[in-house]
Amino acid sequence: NDLSMLWTGVLNPGDSEAIELAPTTVANSGPQELWVRSSIPGFPQEADPFNNNRVLRFDVRPEGSFPFLEQFEQNELFNGSWLVRNSDAATTWDTLSTGGQEPGTHSVYMKMRQYYPIEGQKDDLISPFIDLPITQTSTLRFAICYSFVHTTFSDSLQVFVSQDCGESWESIYKKGGEELGLPDSITDGDSDFIPTQPEHWRTEDIQLTGFEGESILLRFQSTNDRGSNMILDNIRVFSEADPTMVSTD
């Protein structure tokens, strides 16, 4: 939508003026752009009009249901439901075929093994909004598969919660290296390990204490140390029955 407004006043060379724009509504979720352009009515065309334009790129998170369940079976992350932040435009979150997490056959993962250079790059996977009930404390539960290779290559995973539309984030989970990894008896220290059986996964439970009644965002943040595949699946938030255990028949 195109909106215009008229400002009148005196602006001397080198001065600036803060102007509050009229509110507008964004109808759809997903990536958005706000373009702002200034011009002087009746003034001849400037030699350099490009510095009169500014663009702000932002993302509108969709509303998720409660209880919340994400199994990544669409095999597609870039459809607007999840936001991927990939600041270095290199390796980032994607989906792949896995086994051992019923009923699906796909998961989300970070391929740390081939993430060059090793500079501690952080990649974010941000959820839709999840409205938590006010009367009960909810649980965040997810399955993870990570093969710990060596202390020299020690990736980490951190989970954050935001209750102010992503303006600020509170850390609720952080593990890395050997603490994050599965036993060598399962993965044999394979940096390219891909799970195929239920025993190839570990389940993590986090109590969302203090967020009752809030509309929250979850952020899963990986930190690269060029270790191995970091794979997540069956991300769910619930307060009573685990949604993966409820029959849909």
Side-chain angles (χ1 to χ4, degrees), residues 130-170:
I130 304 170
D131 293 331
L132 303 182
I134 195 170
T135 57
Q136 294 174 300
T137 297
S138 299
T139 299
L140 165 63
R141 178 175 294 169
F142 60 92
I144 183 168
C145 173
Y146 177 77
S147 175
F148 174 65
V149 180
H150 193 275
T151 55
T152 304
F153 309 105
S154 185
D155 311 304
S156 63
L157 175 68
Q158 192 164 6
V159 183
F160 300 85
V161 173
S162 175
Q163 52 188 331
D164 56 9
C165 299
E167 287 293 322
S168 62
W169 297 90
E170 180 177 333

Side-chain angles (χ1 to χ4, degrees), residues 71-236:
Q71 296 177 306
F72 302 104
E73 287 311 301
Q74 292 183 351
N75 196 24
E76 173 60 63
L77 268 183
F78 306 99
N79 60 5
S81 295
W82 288 81
L83 172 63
V84 176
R85 284 183 177 170
N86 178 20
S87 59
D88 62 355
T91 301
T92 196
W93 293 98
D94 204 347
T95 54
L96 84 164
S97 297
T98 59
Q101 283 292 301
E102 297 297 334
T105 58
H106 292 90
S107 307
V108 67
Y109 83 124
M110 278 291 304
K111 195 174 182 65
M112 301 294 198
R113 175 172 171 264
Q114 297 178 346
Y115 201 162
Y116 294 98
I118 309 173
E119 295 179 341
Q121 299 95 327
K122 298 182 185 298
D123 289 79
D124 293 332
L125 182 65
I126 301 177
S127 74
F129 280 105
I130 304 170
D131 293 331
L132 303 182
I134 195 170
T135 57
Q136 294 174 300
T137 297
S138 299
T139 299
L140 165 63
R141 178 175 294 169
F142 60 92
I144 183 168
C145 173
Y146 177 77
S147 175
F148 174 65
V149 180
H150 193 275
T151 55
T152 304
F153 309 105
S154 185
D155 311 304
S156 63
L157 175 68
Q158 192 164 6
V159 183
F160 300 85
V161 173
S162 175
Q163 52 188 331
D164 56 9
C165 299
E167 287 293 322
S168 62
W169 297 90
E170 180 177 333
S171 177
I172 58 171
Y173 171 98
K174 184 176 183 180
K175 289 184 180 180
E178 189 171 10
E179 183 184 19
L180 184 67
L182 295 168
D184 284 349
S185 59
I186 294 177
T187 66
D188 197 29
D190 181 2
S191 63
D192 205 24
F193 184 81
I194 296 176
T196 59
Q197 303 297 326
E199 59 267 25
H200 294 166
W201 297 87
R202 184 180 72 248
T203 299
E204 298 280 25
D205 278 10
I206 306 166
Q207 296 302 305
L208 298 176
T209 305
F211 299 102
E212 294 84 355
E214 299 290 344
S215 183
I216 67 167
L217 295 171
L218 297 172
R219 181 174 71 173
F220 293 81
Q221 183 181 83
S222 63
T223 300
N224 171 44
D225 201 22
R226 203 175 65 80
S228 61
N229 295 331
M230 182 185 296
I231 308 172
L232 306 178
D233 206 348
N234 279 335
I235 299 174
R236 58 265 204 205

